């Protein structure tokens, strides 16, 4: 066994799930797939996800990642668990990754049409091929697309998740706090993008981090229309929805190497929306000051009216008592 191959085996021998996942994302990207949603994760040894083909949104696959410790064997019930997950998700395509060795009988069960098995041998071969490909610097060319990848992602999310609209009424004092939670997350996205030296060569770690944020934002896109802002801030409902929607699209523009023009345009929209939201603090303060001023005016009117009534009452009392 040559030294390079031996090195790859050692690399897999005691690997963490998070490190192994980098290899998985490289392979899935080569197949043209992107993460759709997490199905389950167990004790940093197993991760099951649903991925969707970037150009065929109806073509989904189960990605099963199984990491074993040195000298451990795969779970004896693994094949049953894999087939059950595929059945539960109603998905027939499988990408199975493990740093362990699959017994012949288990391989016979898992292998089949549209089933791709990556055990130790296959992974070592693929890692060597990936390294060879990377030894020649390949700069990905950004492409103009008719339909952004994130639009397909959003469409699939709404299609596969039941939307229960429940009004969440907000007080004026709670409005800035809620907005800060969202703006902080969007600014984190922009900061991650700005850290990348070459937008045509995105580090795997950055891509993974942004993709996770993108999937975390999808449920928020469903939630934002449920917020009921005070009447004077009703416009924020659309602003907040647009902020989340464009943030999801922007991440897709960046991580899926979509055109730089689209990336810049959506960046400008995000920064404009952030500016609008940043001005809310001042508007809330102005609104509170106005309310306080109105309350003080009302109090003065009540005091004056009360004093006038008291004066008239005294006059009438004097007239009644001394008028006879």
């Amino acid at each position: 066994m040559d030294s390079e191959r031996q090195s790859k085996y050692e690399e897999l021998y005691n690997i963490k799930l998070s490190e192994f996942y980098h290899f998985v994302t490289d392979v899935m990207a080569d197949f043209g797939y992107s993460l759709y949603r997490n199905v389950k994760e167990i004790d940093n040894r197993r991760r099951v996800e649903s991925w969707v083909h970037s150009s065929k949104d109806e073509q989904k696959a189960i990605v099963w990642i199984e990491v074993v410790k040195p000298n451990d064997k795969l779970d004896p019930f693994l094949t049953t668990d894999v087939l059950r997950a595929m059945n539960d998700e109603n998905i027939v395509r499988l990408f199975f990754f493990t740093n362990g060795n699959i017994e012949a009988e288990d391989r016979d069960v898992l292998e089949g049409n549209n089933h791709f098995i990556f055990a130790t041998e296959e992974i070592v071969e693929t890692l060597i091929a990936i390294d060879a490909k990377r030894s020649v610097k390949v700069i990905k060319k950004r492409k103009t697309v008719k339909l952004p990848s994130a639009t397909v992602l959003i469409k699939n999310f709404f299609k596969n998740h039941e939307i229960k609209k429940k009004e969440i009424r907000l007080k004026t004092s709670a409005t800035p706090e809620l907005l800060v939670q969202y703006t902080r997350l969007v600014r984190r996205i922009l900061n991650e993008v700005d850290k990348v030296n070459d937008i045509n060569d995105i580090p795997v770690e950055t891509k993974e981090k942004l993709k996770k944020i993108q999937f975390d934002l999808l449920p928020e896109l469903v939630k934002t229309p449920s917020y009921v802002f005070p009447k004077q801030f009703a416009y924020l409902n659309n602003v907040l929805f647009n902020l989340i929607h464009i943030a999801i699209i922007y991440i897709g523009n960046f991580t899926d190497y979509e055109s730089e023009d689209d990336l810049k345009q959506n960046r400008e929209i995000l920064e404009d929306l952030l500016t609008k939201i940043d001005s809310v603090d001042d508007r809330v303060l102005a609104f509170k000051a106005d309310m306080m001023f109105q309350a003080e005016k009302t109090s003065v009117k009540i005091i004056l009216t009360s004093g006038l009534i008291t004066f008239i009452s005294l006059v009438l009392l004097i007239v009644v008592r001394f008028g006879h």
Side-chain angles (χ1 to χ4, degrees):
M1 183 183 294
D2 62 44
S3 60
E4 184 182 13
R5 199 172 298 277
Q6 178 65 38
S7 171
K8 296 303 178 190
Y9 275 104
E10 291 172 359
E11 197 177 318
L12 292 170
Y13 188 64
N14 192 23
I15 196 169
K16 293 179 181 178
L17 177 59
S18 57
E19 295 167 351
F20 192 50
Y21 191 72
H22 293 164
F23 163 74
V24 173
T25 56
D26 278 348
V27 173
M28 295 307 296
D30 279 344
F31 276 93
Y33 281 81
S34 57
L35 177 61
Y36 175 59
R37 70 182 178 85
N38 184 56
V39 176
K40 65 179 175 181
E41 185 167 343
I42 301 175
D43 299 332
N44 290 318
R45 67 178 178 84
R46 175 180 296 174
R47 187 180 293 182
V48 185
E49 298 174 337
S50 171
W51 287 57
V52 64
H53 198 279
S54 53
S55 61
K56 304 170 186 173
D57 61 330
E58 76 286 349
Q59 186 172 296
K60 294 179 185 173
I62 286 291
V63 174
W64 189 291
I65 307 160
E66 193 81 12
V67 173
V68 294
K69 293 180 180 178
N71 302 319
D72 280 358
K73 291 186 177 181
L74 291 172
D75 187 328
F77 300 104
L78 178 64
T79 53
T80 304
D81 291 341
V82 172
L83 296 176
R84 183 184 294 119
M86 294 177 70
N87 183 63
D88 290 345
E89 296 294 321
N90 194 26
I91 295 176
V92 298
R93 191 174 293 261
L94 170 69
F95 289 85
F96 181 88
F97 298 88
T98 181
N99 67 327
N101 291 310
I102 305 178
E103 298 293 337
E105 56 269 26
D106 289 336
R107 187 180 281 273
D108 287 342
V109 173
L110 290 178
E111 281 186 329
N113 189 33
N114 292 325
H115 289 196
F116 302 89
I117 310 300
F118 291 88
T120 310
E121 290 291 337
E122 292 90 346
I123 289 173
V124 168
E125 294 295 334
T126 309
L127 283 172
I128 291 171
I130 288 173
D131 281 352
K133 194 190 299 183
R134 284 176 176 167
S135 65
V136 179
K137 184 71 172 178
V138 177
I139 301 298
K140 292 191 178 181
K141 186 178 179 182
R142 290 191 166 269
K143 57 191 180 295
T144 301
V145 293
K146 290 182 179 178
L147 192 66
S149 60
T151 301
V152 176
L153 188 70
I154 293 168
K155 174 186 167 188
N156 285 332
F157 184 84
F158 275 91
K159 189 195 302 181
N160 291 282
H161 291 78
E162 185 180 353
I163 300 170
K164 295 179 180 177
K165 188 170 181 182
K166 183 181 178 183
E167 288 190 349
I168 304 170
R169 296 192 169 273
L170 298 168
K171 294 180 178 178
T172 301
S173 57
T175 298
E177 186 179 342
L178 173 75
L179 296 175
V180 164
Q181 293 175 18
Y182 287 105
T183 56
R184 186 181 293 135
L185 187 55
V186 172
R187 285 195 168 92
R188 183 183 161 199
I189 295 167
L190 302 184
N191 288 338
E192 287 296 332
V193 170
D194 291 341
K195 287 178 188 175
V196 176
N197 294 325
D198 183 356
I199 64 169
N200 294 313
D201 187 20
I202 306 168
V204 174
E205 296 80 4
T206 302
K207 186 172 182 179
E208 184 181 337
K209 192 182 294 183
L210 287 171
K211 281 292 184 183
K212 184 180 184 308
I213 295 174
Q214 187 182 46
F215 284 96
D216 288 343
L217 283 174
L218 287 169
E220 299 303 320
L221 196 61
V222 177
K223 189 193 295 183
T224 48
S226 301
Y227 291 124
V228 180
F229 290 93
K231 187 176 179 181
Q232 67 279 9
F233 297 110
Y235 71 95
L236 287 173
N237 203 282
N238 285 333
V239 172
L240 194 56
F241 181 86
N242 288 335
L243 182 74
I244 304 303
H245 180 258
I246 297 299
I248 294 171
I249 300 290
Y250 179 74
I251 292 174
N253 292 153
F254 183 70
T255 57
D256 294 325
Y257 292 94
E258 293 170 359
S259 83
E260 199 167 339
D261 285 343
D262 290 342
L263 191 65
K264 287 180 178 177
Q265 182 180 3
N266 286 321
R267 174 71 176 247
E268 288 172 3
I269 294 172
L270 281 176
E271 290 177 345
D272 183 54
L273 290 168
L274 287 171
T275 301
K276 284 182 181 177
I277 292 175
D278 286 343
S279 69
V280 170
D281 270 348
D282 292 336
R283 294 196 62 180
V284 168
L285 289 173
F287 176 75
K288 285 182 176 179
D290 186 53
M291 289 297 99
M292 194 174 294
F293 177 70
Q294 293 299 330
E296 287 174 355
K297 277 178 65 177
T298 303
S299 297
V300 169
K301 282 182 181 178
I302 291 172
I303 291 169
L304 289 174
T305 303
S306 200
L308 182 60
I309 292 172
T310 302
F311 175 73
I312 293 172
S313 299
L314 285 171
V315 169
L316 289 173
L317 183 61
I318 292 169
V319 168
V320 169
R321 176 166 295 184
F322 300 104
H324 298 287

